Amino acid sequence: MRIPVIKGNIKRRLLVNFRADPAVVQRILPQPFRPKLHHGRSLVGICLIRLERIRPAGLPGALGLASENAARRIAVEWTDTGGVEREGVFIPRRDTGSFLNRVAGGRIFPGEHHPARFSVLDISGHIELSMRSLDGTVSVRVVGDNTDTLPASSCFSSVAEASSFFEGGSLGYSVTRDARRLDGLLLRTLDWRIRALSVAEVHSSFFADTKQFPKGSIEFDHALVMRDILHEWHKAEDLYAIPRNAHE
């Protein structure tokens, strides 16, 4: 089935980023991916995104749907079959509060999703967001406020430098039911505007798991927030990869 172009509005997008030991991250990645590095560190994290007016291109926005979604992300590079160097993100798991996303994901819409519950307070630049998957294996919590600067401990020198790094990750490859097939999805934003989020509390069950990330191999780096961005999702060619490790 040909998957249509999906368009809509990114009402809110949080990129919660951690810096990690590249050797540890490499063990998680399937071939042909390798970590995309910044100052010798791998960047991993969570994308927490509220989508509104989501519908196939050509339909009016009034018919679009809204949803809260989460995705684990690892910034990666790889060499394609033509020898061209590529960059994007590897997505070990997606979660959603939308029944339609779960049913249609990977069929009518790109991306296979797990069911989850979201609790969100988003007012006057202050955000409190919690997510827990219905299977009980994944939880995320972020509390923060809009700001203009990154933490002094960040491996990025400025918001502009971090923005440039993550803007290159518009091509994502997600784990599917087929252990070797990765679902390709390209995000095209009609405007790229981003600012920092001063984080008072952050937790990710996946990145806190010492079996995946031994003590000392990962640290919180910074968080970014995007708001009211018109965008399109385009189906990209699937990638067939060789798993290195379990991704759940």
Side-chain angles (χ1 to χ4, degrees):
M1 177 183 293
R2 183 176 180 273
I3 295 179
V5 173
I6 305 299
K7 66 187 303 183
N9 181 48
I10 297 174
K11 185 63 177 177
R12 174 197 354 100
R13 186 189 192 200
L14 301 182
L15 297 178
V16 182
N17 301 308
F18 301 78
R19 56 184 182 272
D21 183 336
V24 171
V25 174
Q26 186 68 77
R27 294 200 294 265
I28 299 171
L29 296 174
Q31 297 177 6
F33 296 133
R34 59 187 182 271
K36 179 184 175 183
L37 304 183
H38 185 75
H39 294 314
R41 304 296 285 175
S42 175
L43 273 296
V44 303
I46 315 145
C47 173
L48 299 161
I49 188 168
R50 177 171 179 79
L51 301 173
E52 296 185 351
R53 303 202 306 273
I54 299 300
R55 75 280 187 191
L59 293 182
L63 298 180
L65 302 175
S67 62
E68 295 280 355
N69 308 275
R72 299 174 189 162
R73 294 162 42 98
I74 300 173
V76 295
E77 299 174 326
W78 69 100
T79 306
D80 70 17
T81 54
V84 177
E85 296 299 313
R86 308 291 300 276
E87 68 172 288
V89 291
F90 170 62
I91 303 169
R93 176 167 171 137
R94 294 181 183 273
D95 292 271
T96 184
S98 165
F99 174 77
L100 179 61
N101 285 4
R102 299 197 304 269
V103 171
R107 299 179 179 90
I108 299 174
F109 301 154
E112 296 179 10
H113 294 75
H114 297 262
R117 291 191 178 93
F118 289 76
S119 173
V120 183
L121 172 66
D122 182 2
I123 184 169
S124 300
H126 178 75
I127 296 172
E128 298 181 19
L129 189 153
S130 299
M131 185 276 286
R132 180 173 292 276
S133 64
L134 296 193
D135 62 16
T137 64
V138 176
S139 63
V140 174
R141 179 163 171 80
V142 181
V143 178
D145 296 272
N146 288 350
T147 187
D148 295 321
T149 59
L150 299 180
S153 58
S154 174
C155 65
F156 293 93
S157 63
S158 66
V159 173
E161 186 181 46
S163 175
S164 178
F165 181 93
F166 292 105
E167 190 173 5
S170 60
L171 177 58
Y173 283 100
S174 307
V175 167
T176 69
R177 297 175 185 89
D178 180 343
R180 289 182 175 268
R181 183 180 68 83
L182 300 178
D183 196 0
L185 184 61
L186 177 66
L187 170 62
R188 289 183 177 169
T189 56
L190 305 185
D191 185 17
W192 181 269
R193 288 176 284 106
I194 202 162
R195 66 180 304 180
L197 190 77
S198 176
V199 172
E201 181 181 348
V202 61
H203 171 76
S204 161
S205 59
F206 180 69
F207 295 118
D209 183 356
T210 55
K211 294 180 181 178
Q212 293 281 3
F213 294 92
K215 186 176 180 179
S217 67
I218 188 168
E219 295 178 286
F220 171 71
D221 194 86
H222 70 280
L224 302 170
V225 60
M226 304 175 71
R227 294 184 183 277
D228 296 314
I229 306 293
L230 297 177
H231 74 289
E232 297 177 347
W233 300 102
H234 292 254
K235 183 71 179 78
E237 183 177 357
D238 290 348
L239 185 65
Y240 288 84
I242 301 173
R244 294 180 187 267
N245 198 358
H247 301 305
E248 295 300 321

